[in-house]
């Protein structure tokens, strides 16, 4: 089975859901955050939609969210220890 692909908006919504599960509602992920992760090399695009916008795989999104979670939580004042 292939990994579902998400636009930046859809990826942001999914990553926000995951992040809120572990941080009690803090640290939402925006589409700009998704684009930033991609620009910084944390989130490789897996394809393009019909408008040539990048699409991201769920597994890559989960890895990028996990890799950036601790920093995001610290920025909003939540200890990760």
């Amino acid at each position: 089975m292939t990994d579902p692909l998400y636009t930046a908006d859809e990826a942001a919504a999914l990553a926000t859901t995951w992040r809120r599960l572990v941080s009690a509602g803090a640290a939402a992920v925006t589409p700009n955050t998704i684009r930033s992760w991609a620009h910084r090399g944390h989130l490789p695009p897996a394809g393009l939609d019909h408008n040539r916008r990048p699409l991201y795989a769920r597994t890559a999104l989960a890895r990028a969210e996990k890799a950036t979670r601790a920093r995001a939580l610290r920025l909003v004042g939540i200890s990760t220890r």
Side-chain angles (χ1 to χ4, degrees), residues 34-49:
I34 297 298
R35 288 187 275 277
S36 176
W37 291 352
H39 177 75
R40 293 178 180 164
H42 297 296
L43 182 60
L48 299 172
D49 72 4

Side-chain angles (χ1 to χ4, degrees), residues 19 22-23 26-27 68-80:
R19 191 160 281 181
V22 298
S23 66
T68 60
R69 180 185 316 138
R71 182 176 187 278
L73 294 175
R74 281 193 311 274
L75 289 173
V76 296
I78 297 173
S79 174
T80 58

